[in-house]
Amino acid sequence: MFHKKFLNRFTFGQVTVFLAVIYLVYSITSLVLYQSVMSIVNVLISGFVMILILQDLGQTKHTIRKNYPLFARFRYMFEAIRPEMRQYFWEGELDGKPFNRRERSIVYQRAKNEKQTVSFGMQDDANRIGYEWASHSIYPKSVTDTNFRTTIGSDLCSQPYSASIYNISAMSYGALSKRAITALNEGAKIGGFAHNTGEGGISTYHRSGGDLIWQIGTGYFGCRNEEGKFDGTLFRERALYPEVKMIELKLSQGAKPGHGGLLPAEKNTEEIAKIRSIVPHTTVHSPSGHSAFSNPIELVHFIDKLRKLSDGKPIGFKICIGQKDEFTDIVSAMVQTGIYPDFITIDGAEGGTGAAPLEFIDYMGMALNDALVFANKTLIENGLRDKIKILASGRIISAFDIAKTLSLGADACYSARGMMFALGCIQALQCDSGHCPVGIATQDESLYKAIDVTDKRKRVAAFHGNTMKALGEFISACGYEKPAQVDPKTFHKRVDHGVTKSFQEMYFGDLDTRKKDN
């Protein structure tokens, strides 16, 4: 055929240049003859097009642009807007990842105190393998007080803390903007729940009136000396802040277990440096592991040290479980020394982060359900379960998520991305770019200045409060009066076609997992 012979003789690039030259000559001729506004516009457009074509032909990095000048640029444009196009036009209610539209919508509705009901029946497939559900009771209980709390603090602790069973998970200032952190903390104050600082230290924006859980990572930010080692004096100074209610030692994080961090010199401002106790305008590494201890015995003694330096505040550690024997070794060290934490935070591999390698975010660490069950059983078998509270984090945003997590052994839960949705996060998946469109995960003032702290703090508090009300309704329908009574026998999972098992059958067998009422 003619067009095939034509393209065999001339490359696509040559044809594109030829057409662009014709357009440019036509535009210039029109300008000379008519001198109209439209002819001027045509000259500008044709000139711009010619510049783009010459740029594409002259560059050597992108083969597709060299072979298909100008037109190849549309590929990059469409690829750039693909996530938004998918989310707004083609994504189904249950398709989005890591949170689908239905999950995001319920957070938005609860944060705004809007209609929180859905119509016309379920959209999930009750017959699919993996479907989870709860068995209700024909004798529902009356739950009027939904200020659900649990007391965290063992007999080794002199300042126990009455915590909400749903709190803000670890997010540092630096990962989130100053206005986002302020809104979260003020929302926590309004709603009476706790705000985890993340491992980046306690910023002034964290100190806006809400209760804090101070997280300490491998970089010991806020309590490190010039060599990057733990500094007890700096730790005690900050641990005694009245708003610091608990201290959490981060061993590993679900989204990137065993992976350290890097703070580039250009992001290490005077303000950040002061918060983190580091030298400004220098590149600072967060090691993969801790330097203050190197084995289970040293770990529990370090926990004891932190408890004493903080005058008896609850001390715990956060872990994404990988090698099971390492966790059992830590528990054995607790039994051997008689020193144990007041709480353990189990972070599931499905937890989120601003940035991590794909291999870590998708293929490293144990999922929350499995890790929670394993930790719970291990503590029960070693006689420590009544002394240590378990906190859980990893995609927990609805009342069903919370109740299910409690049934597997948790005493309280964290949420990071749920609270971000309450702030206005649209799941743009731009957290690692510095260009978060809603000003949450960015330090760009032109973006975060649009956050209205007065409004967003109310939304954070409303999301928490409405979720607790929903939890009250949920456990009531299941026949319980308190979250601590929720039993794994209540939850079920379809494991094969025509076969469902309760969580008790799947995970615990004859083991009694009932918790003390608190």
Side-chain angles (χ1 to χ4, degrees):
M1 295 177 68
F2 173 77
H3 72 279
K4 287 186 177 180
K5 292 180 180 179
F6 182 79
L7 287 177
N8 283 337
R9 186 171 181 180
F10 300 99
T11 66
F12 191 92
Q14 289 173 330
V15 173
T16 304
V17 171
F18 177 71
L19 294 174
V21 169
I22 291 176
Y23 180 34
L24 181 60
V25 171
Y26 165 76
S27 302
I28 294 173
T29 302
S30 297
L31 178 62
V32 172
L33 294 175
Y34 304 110
Q35 298 182 354
S36 64
V37 174
M38 191 63 199
S39 61
I40 295 174
V41 171
N42 274 331
V43 169
L44 293 175
I45 294 175
S46 60
F48 180 67
V49 168
M50 181 58 74
I51 290 171
L52 292 179
I53 291 172
L54 294 177
Q55 282 182 343
D56 288 345
L57 290 173
Q59 59 83 39
T60 58
K61 290 185 178 181
H62 303 281
T63 305
I64 190 170
R65 282 175 57 194
K66 198 171 188 70
N67 288 339
Y68 302 94
L70 185 64
F71 292 94
R73 290 176 179 265
F74 288 100
R75 177 188 185 277
Y76 297 104
M77 181 184 73
F78 291 137
E79 191 176 57
I81 63 173
R82 181 174 177 267
E84 289 81 5
M85 297 294 286
R86 183 177 64 240
Q87 182 180 132
Y88 296 142
F89 297 105
W90 297 296
E91 180 182 289
E93 292 297 297
L94 304 177
D95 295 336
K97 300 293 182 183
F99 292 89
N100 62 47
R101 180 173 292 277
R102 205 168 200 186
E103 291 170 323
R104 300 194 304 269
S105 294
I106 193 62
V107 178
Y108 298 146
Q109 290 162 0
R110 287 174 176 164
K112 298 176 184 178
N113 282 314
E114 293 180 347
K115 178 179 75 73
Q116 300 167 36
T117 55
V118 294
S119 306
F120 221 60
M122 70 184 303
Q123 295 188 15
D124 204 346
D125 179 5
N127 294 307
R128 67 174 173 84
I129 296 174
Y131 176 73
E132 296 175 339
W133 57 283
S135 53
H136 66 282
S137 170
I138 61 171
Y139 307 107
K141 301 295 184 181
S142 176
V143 178
T144 54
D145 182 6
T146 57
N147 182 26
F148 300 126
R149 311 193 76 82
T150 184
T151 301
I152 301 176
S154 66
D155 54 344
L156 302 178
C157 166
S158 59
Q159 297 190 55
Y161 174 58
S162 176
S164 169
I165 65 168
Y166 196 47
N167 304 283
I168 302 172
S169 193
M171 293 179 282
S172 301
Y173 169 55
L176 266 57
S177 67
K178 57 181 68 178
R179 290 201 177 185
I181 292 291
T182 302
L184 287 173
N185 193 258
E186 292 185 6
K189 178 183 179 182
I190 295 170
F193 50 100
H195 181 191
N196 192 304
T197 65
E199 63 179 302
I202 305 173
S203 69
T204 54
Y205 314 107
H206 284 103
R207 303 185 70 186
S208 298
D211 290 347
L212 290 180
I213 300 172
W214 180 21
Q215 186 183 89
I216 299 170
T218 57
Y220 304 112
F221 294 127
C223 56
R224 59 184 270 152
N225 59 24
E226 293 181 359
E227 289 75 40
K229 307 297 183 183
F230 177 75
D231 186 313
T233 302
L234 284 177
F235 169 80
R236 178 172 172 80
E237 176 188 328
R238 289 164 171 78
L240 295 183
Y241 287 166
E243 58 266 47
V244 173
K245 304 300 182 182
M246 304 199 302
I247 292 121
E248 180 180 84
L249 184 66
K250 190 182 97 167
L251 303 185
S252 56
Q253 176 181 345
K256 47 183 176 181
H259 192 276
L262 176 71
L263 179 66
E266 58 270 21
K267 290 187 177 182
N268 185 9
T269 63
E270 297 281 348
E271 182 185 36
I272 293 289
K274 183 178 180 180
I275 293 166
R276 300 194 177 200
S277 302
I278 55 180
V279 179
H281 312 300
T282 60
T283 297
V284 179
H285 294 265
S286 294
S288 298
H290 282 267
S291 59
F293 52 87
S294 59
N295 58 58
I297 296 293
E298 292 179 358
L299 168 59
V300 295
H301 279 292
F302 187 67
I303 288 171
D304 187 52
K305 179 179 181 179
L306 297 183
R307 190 183 282 121
K308 290 175 179 175
L309 286 172
S310 65
D311 286 353
K313 290 185 178 181
I315 309 293
F317 64 82
K318 174 180 179 178
I319 185 171
C320 174
I321 295 177
Q323 299 180 23
K324 290 184 176 181
D325 59 338
E326 292 184 343
F327 184 81
T328 55
D329 287 345
I330 294 173
V331 175
S332 296
M334 298 176 196
V335 174
Q336 179 182 336
T337 61
I339 302 170
Y340 37 83
D342 300 287
F343 66 95
I344 297 174
T345 299
I346 303 297
D347 199 14
E350 58 270 62
T353 185
L358 180 142
E359 292 82 0
F360 283 78
I361 218 166
D362 279 351
Y363 306 111
M364 192 78 76
M366 193 182 296
L368 178 60
N369 285 7
D370 297 326
L372 193 54
V373 168
F374 171 68
N376 190 23
K377 290 171 69 173
T378 302
L379 292 176
I380 290 172
E381 291 164 357
N382 285 272
L384 292 172
R385 185 61 185 90
D386 291 338
K387 302 178 184 296
I388 301 171
K389 293 296 171 67
I390 296 178
L391 279 63
S393 60
R395 294 194 77 250
I396 303 171
I397 62 170
S398 71
F400 177 82
D401 297 334
I402 296 171
K404 181 183 75 170
T405 304
L406 296 177
S407 78
L408 294 175
D411 296 286
C413 302
Y414 278 127
S415 175
R417 289 168 290 181
M419 298 295 178
M420 290 174 69
F421 287 139
L423 282 177
C425 169
I426 60 172
Q427 195 168 281
L429 306 180
Q430 295 292 315
C431 305
D432 58 346
S433 70
H435 303 296
C436 170
V438 292
I440 296 173
T442 180
Q443 299 306 309
D444 185 339
E445 186 176 2
S446 66
L447 294 171
Y448 72 66
K449 69 180 181 182
I451 295 178
D452 182 348
V453 173
T454 303
D455 175 61
K456 299 302 184 183
R457 68 186 180 188
K458 294 177 183 176
R459 294 192 183 191
V460 171
F463 167 60
H464 177 274
N466 285 323
T467 302
M468 292 298 93
K469 290 178 183 176
L471 179 62
E473 293 175 351
F474 187 89
I475 65 171
S476 168
C478 294
Y480 302 114
E481 294 177 328
K482 298 179 181 179
Q485 298 170 342
V486 177
D487 193 282
K489 297 184 182 72
T490 299
F491 290 85
H492 307 263
K493 187 171 186 175
R494 186 172 298 284
V495 296
D496 202 348
H497 295 294
V499 181
T500 61
K501 289 186 177 181
S502 72
F503 282 9
Q504 183 72 40
E505 294 173 295
M506 288 178 60
Y507 296 117
F508 299 108
D510 296 329
L511 185 66
D512 185 1
T513 61
R514 287 175 296 181
K515 291 172 280 190
K516 287 184 177 179
D517 243 0
N518 56 25

